[in-house]
Amino acid sequence: MELTALQWDNRFARLPETFYHRVEPTPVPSPHLVAWNPELAALLGLPHDLTEHPDLLEVLAGNLVLPEMAPLAAIYAGHQFGSWVPQLGDGRAILLGEIVGLNRSRWEVQLKGAGMTRFSRMGDGRAVLRSTIREYLASEAMHALGIPTTRALAIVGSPLPVYREQTETAAILTRVAPTHVRFGSFELFASRRMQTELQQLADMVITDHFPELLALPAAERYAAWYREVVMRTADLMAEWTAVGFQHGVMNTDNFSITGLTIDYGPYCWLERYDPQWICNHSDTAGRYAFDQQPLVGLWNCTRLGEALHSLVSEADALATLESYRERFDATLGRLFRAKLGLTAADPGDAALVAGWLDLLERTGADYARSFRALSHWTPGDGAAVADLHTEISDSPGLVTWMERWSARLDAEGQDHTVRSTQMLATNPKYVLRNWLAQDAIDNALTGNVGRVDEIRTLLNTPFDEHPELERYAMPGSEEIVVSCSS
Ligand code: AMP
Ligand code: MG
């Protein structure tokens, strides 16, 4: 494959210059490939193996810009930890352009850590190897779990020193998504009273990513679009909750207008179930604690509604916001029913789920492993759930809860083998525990970069048993500290 055979476009770059600053990546010395995701490469029409394409490696390092690209850093604003920040932007990400891939699908290709832009503020525009590995693995793990997310194509490392708490080395992550437009993109234009630009951005997002709304008359279109964004956000918060994912930095500049999980920093997948868990050590007040996420999602949607004030009436926005909770509850209810192997809604569902979560919380059980253990249960096991660790197995509440659950299963009358198979396809055996990401990082730092893609490949089929990799399903032995600089 020749690089020139790729079809590039950049619709974002056709917006006026008020939307971005044109900037080329800053080259790095001695780039080497750390990770390559052939499944995503296939979607983009890129080669399966990069070793024979040194020119593509140079592109992904930011050392080579093709003539068809139109690199730029987008401007946006946002609420960070609740405080208004009037101007932000791609400070360490550069949008190269869009690749027109398989079935004419379009993918924005961004280099994260490709050098300074006008929006770098006090930063150096760089990312460290550690943080790119964390984002690479998390995006692909999330995708394999069926949860909307930006994707990760590659990591290119360089010996270039980067200074954080200590000296580290630079790496560039290739991030891929249909669009990287955020809530904060709209907040910027609204705060500057730039109505024309605000509408232009909304029109572009609707045309490119919500084309079904174009059939509506303009007067209804924006309200319908806002409603769709809010509903997608409610769904995403429910998906995160059900899978035990904590984002860590839910600022409005990290909220995607198409409802994707975006910007993986100090995230975690819960191990011990603690709803008040704070994975981001910079979040001292716990604003983004695990159980706060649904509320923060609503808070962010409210900020977006304010920003869209000139396009969506206050009455329409309020009506939409009022239905956020109902949508979140309905989606979460459906997800938890599936996790418990139930097919039909029942008025007792919420109490049943709450009872199980309460058991997990009181006993400090591992979130993923506990649901996985339930998935293997058959009636012959009685109240025993193999593989549940002793604290929960010895808890008197477990017997009572198991009786309620199995009575509910009996009432549904579904075959237990079928139910178990469905649960095993719903409750992942493997999630990206912080220690797994750290294992990939430690290996990469000592020269074994192959571990990164080994773990990505495992997490690509998180519902399969992989008996030879069983140790990756185990909880970590110690807490790994992650902060905003992660
Ligand atoms: P984040 O918390 O990663 O979403 O980043 C918030 C803002 O800070 C974004 O506008 C980033 O572009 C910017 N930023 C974060 N790290 C850096 C860095 N190393 N250099 C320049 N800008 C950065
Ligand atoms: Mg961000």
Side-chain angles (χ1 to χ4, degrees):
M1 193 217 71
E2 291 300 317
L3 275 189
T4 46
L6 288 174
Q7 197 186 332
W8 285 89
D9 191 12
N10 195 345
R11 288 175 294 185
F12 200 84
R14 287 202 287 276
L15 289 167
E17 303 240 337
T18 35
F19 289 81
Y20 51 78
H21 181 234
R22 291 192 192 271
V23 60
E24 297 214 343
T26 307
V28 291
S30 312
H32 65 276
L33 192 65
V34 172
W36 177 250
N37 181 352
E39 287 89 6
L40 180 57
L43 271 182
L44 303 184
L46 293 170
H48 186 81
D49 185 352
L50 206 64
T51 47
E52 284 161 28
H53 298 276
D55 45 354
L56 186 49
L57 179 73
E58 293 293 325
V59 168
L60 302 179
N63 293 1
L64 173 65
V65 174
L66 303 175
E68 312 82 75
M69 294 171 175
L72 61 87
I75 190 170
Y76 47 85
H79 283 84
Q80 298 192 311
F81 290 92
S83 303
W84 171 240
V85 184
Q87 196 215 286
L88 291 160
D90 292 331
R92 57 167 163 180
I94 293 177
L95 174 65
L96 293 180
E98 285 172 296
I99 284 190
V100 184
L102 217 60
N103 303 324
R104 307 212 51 78
S105 57
R106 285 164 167 269
W107 301 90
E108 282 189 1
V109 178
Q110 253 197 7
L111 298 185
K112 194 164 172 183
M116 302 243 284
T117 75
R118 181 178 282 179
F119 312 114
S120 297
R121 299 186 291 167
M122 310 299 281
D124 54 9
R126 289 297 177 192
V128 292
L129 182 62
R130 164 176 62 93
S131 69
T132 56
I133 291 174
R134 283 179 56 83
E135 173 146 9
Y136 180 83
L137 290 176
S139 338
E140 291 307 299
M142 198 62 114
H143 173 70
L145 291 167
I147 302 175
T149 176
T150 60
R151 304 288 306 273
L153 175 70
I155 300 174
V156 174
S158 160
L160 181 77
V162 174
Y163 306 100
R164 294 292 181 263
E165 282 87 359
Q166 61 216 33
T167 306
E168 303 187 38
T169 56
I172 296 111
L173 175 87
T174 308
R175 181 161 70 177
V176 172
T179 175
H180 290 83
V181 171
R182 301 124 194 280
F183 285 17
S185 316
F186 294 92
E187 289 179 281
L188 177 106
F189 294 120
S191 69
R192 296 184 179 180
R193 311 245 184 294
M194 294 165 72
Q195 308 305 353
T196 311
E197 285 80 359
L198 184 86
Q199 184 162 356
Q200 217 169 350
L201 189 61
D203 287 342
M204 190 187 82
V205 166
I206 292 171
T207 305
D208 295 346
H209 307 287
F210 300 80
E212 64 285 359
L213 300 179
L214 290 171
L216 293 175
E220 295 166 32
R221 192 182 307 147
Y222 298 112
W225 167 61
Y226 175 62
R227 186 172 189 83
E228 178 62 22
V229 176
V230 173
M231 295 300 113
R232 286 191 192 188
T233 305
D235 287 347
L236 185 66
M237 295 307 107
E239 294 274 8
W240 287 359
T241 303
V243 83
F245 175 77
Q246 190 180 354
H247 183 283
V249 199
M250 296 171 66
N251 297 335
T252 54
D253 50 304
N254 290 341
F255 259 54
S256 148
I257 200 68
T258 51
L260 306 174
T261 312
I262 186 170
D263 264 8
Y264 293 88
Y267 62 81
C268 70
W269 267 265
L270 291 184
E271 297 199 78
R272 184 169 57 81
Y273 180 65
D274 173 3
Q276 276 134 47
W277 188 250
I278 304 161
C279 62
N280 179 358
H281 282 251
S282 315
D283 181 15
T284 41
R287 180 179 173 88
Y288 300 142
F290 181 76
D291 62 359
Q292 297 302 302
Q293 297 190 127
L295 255 171
V296 177
L298 175 60
W299 194 87
N300 288 351
C301 286
T302 310
R303 302 289 82 73
L304 178 66
E306 288 162 359
L308 298 180
H309 186 66
S310 60
L311 300 175
V312 181
S313 74
E314 193 174 311
D316 283 341
L318 283 175
T320 288
L321 291 168
E322 270 166 24
S323 50
Y324 172 97
R325 188 79 219 187
E326 191 182 320
R327 174 67 167 242
F328 172 82
D329 286 343
T331 304
L332 189 63
R334 176 172 55 72
L335 293 171
F336 269 129
R337 265 198 303 284
K339 285 178 83 65
L340 292 179
L342 303 167
T343 48
D346 179 279
D349 284 349
L352 188 69
V353 171
W356 175 245
L357 294 179
D358 183 53
L359 264 176
L360 299 192
E361 185 180 354
R362 276 193 288 116
T363 58
D366 184 88
Y367 189 72
R369 289 179 67 82
S370 301
F371 277 100
R372 192 74 183 178
L374 272 191
S375 313
H376 284 293
W377 181 85
T378 65
D381 298 333
V385 188
D387 215 31
L388 275 192
H389 71 84
T390 43
E391 288 87 348
I392 188 166
S393 303
D394 294 345
S395 164
L398 181 65
V399 175
T400 320
W401 188 85
M402 290 299 293
E403 282 167 4
R404 277 169 67 196
W405 180 53
S406 58
R408 185 79 167 73
L409 292 178
D410 287 345
E412 289 207 341
Q414 195 180 194
D415 177 78
H416 280 290
T417 316
V418 174
R419 190 259 316 149
S420 174
T421 308
Q422 284 170 354
M423 284 178 76
L424 290 169
T426 305
N427 294 305
K429 174 163 178 178
Y430 297 95
V431 292
L432 182 61
R433 298 167 185 277
N434 266 339
W435 80 262
L436 263 74
Q438 195 59 43
D439 182 57
I441 293 165
D442 293 341
N443 270 275
L445 288 173
T446 52
N448 176 23
V449 295
R451 183 61 61 84
V452 180
D453 275 322
E454 275 166 36
I455 293 182
R456 180 187 54 75
T457 308
L458 169 68
L459 297 175
N460 206 10
T461 49
F463 305 105
D464 293 354
E465 282 297 322
H466 302 284
E468 71 291 357
L469 297 171
E470 191 84 34
R471 67 189 185 95
Y472 286 125
M474 304 300 270
S477 52
E478 62 192 84
E479 194 196 327
I480 291 165
V481 173
V482 286
S483 62
C484 275
S485 77
S486 297

PDB file of all heavy atoms in Angstrom, residues 76 80 92 112 175 182 253-254 263, ligand 2:
ATOM      1  N   TYR A  76     -11.472  25.497  21.940  1.00  0.00           N
ATOM      2  CA  TYR A  76     -12.686  25.273  22.720  1.00  0.00           C
ATOM      3  C   TYR A  76     -12.511  25.911  24.084  1.00  0.00           C
ATOM      4  O   TYR A  76     -11.465  26.526  24.363  1.00  0.00           O
ATOM      5  CB  TYR A  76     -13.058  23.777  22.813  1.00  0.00           C
ATOM      6  CG  TYR A  76     -11.936  22.814  23.179  1.00  0.00           C
ATOM      7  CD1 TYR A  76     -11.593  22.569  24.501  1.00  0.00           C
ATOM      8  CD2 TYR A  76     -11.244  22.113  22.184  1.00  0.00           C
ATOM      9  CE1 TYR A  76     -10.587  21.657  24.826  1.00  0.00           C
ATOM     10  CE2 TYR A  76     -10.233  21.191  22.513  1.00  0.00           C
ATOM     11  CZ  TYR A  76      -9.908  20.977  23.830  1.00  0.00           C
ATOM     12  OH  TYR A  76      -8.916  20.084  24.154  1.00  0.00           O
ATOM     13  N   GLN A  80     -13.897  23.267  34.026  1.00  0.00           N
ATOM     14  CA  GLN A  80     -12.971  22.286  34.589  1.00  0.00           C
ATOM     15  C   GLN A  80     -13.173  22.252  36.096  1.00  0.00           C
ATOM     16  O   GLN A  80     -13.019  23.273  36.762  1.00  0.00           O
ATOM     17  CB  GLN A  80     -11.531  22.669  34.248  1.00  0.00           C
ATOM     18  CG  GLN A  80     -11.288  22.682  32.731  1.00  0.00           C
ATOM     19  CD  GLN A  80      -9.809  22.776  32.372  1.00  0.00           C
ATOM     20  OE1 GLN A  80      -9.105  23.625  32.904  1.00  0.00           O
ATOM     21  NE2 GLN A  80      -9.356  21.937  31.470  1.00  0.00           N
ATOM     22  N   ARG A  92      -2.206  19.720  23.148  1.00  0.00           N
ATOM     23  CA  ARG A  92      -1.205  18.688  22.821  1.00  0.00           C
ATOM     24  C   ARG A  92      -1.779  17.690  21.833  1.00  0.00           C
ATOM     25  O   ARG A  92      -1.331  16.553  21.759  1.00  0.00           O
ATOM     26  CB  ARG A  92      -0.732  17.994  24.083  1.00  0.00           C
ATOM     27  CG  ARG A  92      -1.861  17.387  24.859  1.00  0.00           C
ATOM     28  CD  ARG A  92      -1.378  16.456  25.924  1.00  0.00           C
ATOM     29  NE  ARG A  92      -2.482  16.234  26.858  1.00  0.00           N
ATOM     30  CZ  ARG A  92      -2.405  15.482  27.904  1.00  0.00           C
ATOM     31  NH1 ARG A  92      -1.294  14.861  28.175  1.00  0.00           N
ATOM     32  NH2 ARG A  92      -3.441  15.321  28.696  1.00  0.00           N
ATOM     33  N   LYS A 112      -1.882  12.857  19.378  1.00  0.00           N
ATOM     34  CA  LYS A 112      -1.888  13.419  20.730  1.00  0.00           C
ATOM     35  C   LYS A 112      -0.465  13.373  21.270  1.00  0.00           C
ATOM     36  O   LYS A 112       0.138  12.304  21.336  1.00  0.00           O
ATOM     37  CB  LYS A 112      -2.849  12.617  21.611  1.00  0.00           C
ATOM     38  CG  LYS A 112      -3.182  13.293  22.914  1.00  0.00           C
ATOM     39  CD  LYS A 112      -4.396  12.674  23.569  1.00  0.00           C
ATOM     40  CE  LYS A 112      -4.602  13.247  24.966  1.00  0.00           C
ATOM     41  NZ  LYS A 112      -5.733  12.625  25.653  1.00  0.00           N
ATOM     42  N   ARG A 175      -5.073   9.083  17.820  1.00  0.00           N
ATOM     43  CA  ARG A 175      -6.455   8.938  18.275  1.00  0.00           C
ATOM     44  C   ARG A 175      -7.376   9.093  17.078  1.00  0.00           C
ATOM     45  O   ARG A 175      -7.143   9.955  16.214  1.00  0.00           O
ATOM     46  CB  ARG A 175      -6.753   9.996  19.345  1.00  0.00           C
ATOM     47  CG  ARG A 175      -8.159   9.901  19.878  1.00  0.00           C
ATOM     48  CD  ARG A 175      -8.289  10.615  21.197  1.00  0.00           C
ATOM     49  NE  ARG A 175      -8.186  12.065  21.093  1.00  0.00           N
ATOM     50  CZ  ARG A 175      -8.337  12.877  22.131  1.00  0.00           C
ATOM     51  NH1 ARG A 175      -8.580  12.392  23.319  1.00  0.00           N
ATOM     52  NH2 ARG A 175      -8.236  14.175  21.980  1.00  0.00           N
ATOM     53  N   ARG A 182     -16.439  18.835  21.132  1.00  0.00           N
ATOM     54  CA  ARG A 182     -16.819  18.651  22.542  1.00  0.00           C
ATOM     55  C   ARG A 182     -17.907  19.638  22.959  1.00  0.00           C
ATOM     56  O   ARG A 182     -18.135  20.627  22.271  1.00  0.00           O
ATOM     57  CB  ARG A 182     -15.611  18.943  23.441  1.00  0.00           C
ATOM     58  CG  ARG A 182     -14.433  18.095  23.172  1.00  0.00           C
ATOM     59  CD  ARG A 182     -13.198  18.967  22.868  1.00  0.00           C
ATOM     60  NE  ARG A 182     -12.134  18.142  22.292  1.00  0.00           N
ATOM     61  CZ  ARG A 182     -11.337  17.380  23.012  1.00  0.00           C
ATOM     62  NH1 ARG A 182     -11.420  17.398  24.307  1.00  0.00           N
ATOM     63  NH2 ARG A 182     -10.445  16.627  22.427  1.00  0.00           N
ATOM     64  N   ASP A 253     -14.981  20.074  28.582  1.00  0.00           N
ATOM     65  CA  ASP A 253     -14.124  19.961  27.394  1.00  0.00           C
ATOM     66  C   ASP A 253     -13.746  18.515  27.131  1.00  0.00           C
ATOM     67  O   ASP A 253     -13.143  18.211  26.101  1.00  0.00           O
ATOM     68  CB  ASP A 253     -12.859  20.832  27.544  1.00  0.00           C
ATOM     69  CG  ASP A 253     -12.145  20.598  28.862  1.00  0.00           C
ATOM     70  OD1 ASP A 253     -12.784  20.752  29.905  1.00  0.00           O
ATOM     71  OD2 ASP A 253     -10.958  20.238  28.848  1.00  0.00           O
ATOM     72  N   ASN A 254     -14.098  17.619  28.060  1.00  0.00           N
ATOM     73  CA  ASN A 254     -13.834  16.198  27.856  1.00  0.00           C
ATOM     74  C   ASN A 254     -15.143  15.434  27.623  1.00  0.00           C
ATOM     75  O   ASN A 254     -15.207  14.237  27.851  1.00  0.00           O
ATOM     76  CB  ASN A 254     -13.104  15.603  29.062  1.00  0.00           C
ATOM     77  CG  ASN A 254     -11.672  16.098  29.168  1.00  0.00           C
ATOM     78  OD1 ASN A 254     -11.111  16.598  28.193  1.00  0.00           O
ATOM     79  ND2 ASN A 254     -11.072  15.974  30.337  1.00  0.00           N
ATOM     80  N   ASP A 263     -10.883  11.280  26.096  1.00  0.00           N
ATOM     81  CA  ASP A 263      -9.822  11.775  26.987  1.00  0.00           C
ATOM     82  C   ASP A 263      -9.612  10.889  28.211  1.00  0.00           C
ATOM     83  O   ASP A 263     -10.103  11.172  29.304  1.00  0.00           O
ATOM     84  CB  ASP A 263     -10.077  13.230  27.406  1.00  0.00           C
ATOM     85  CG  ASP A 263      -9.293  14.160  26.486  1.00  0.00           C
ATOM     86  OD1 ASP A 263      -8.728  13.683  25.490  1.00  0.00           O
ATOM     87  OD2 ASP A 263      -9.233  15.363  26.775  1.00  0.00           O
TER      88      ASP A 263
HETATM   89 MG    MG B   2      -9.180  17.144  27.387  1.00  0.00          MG
END
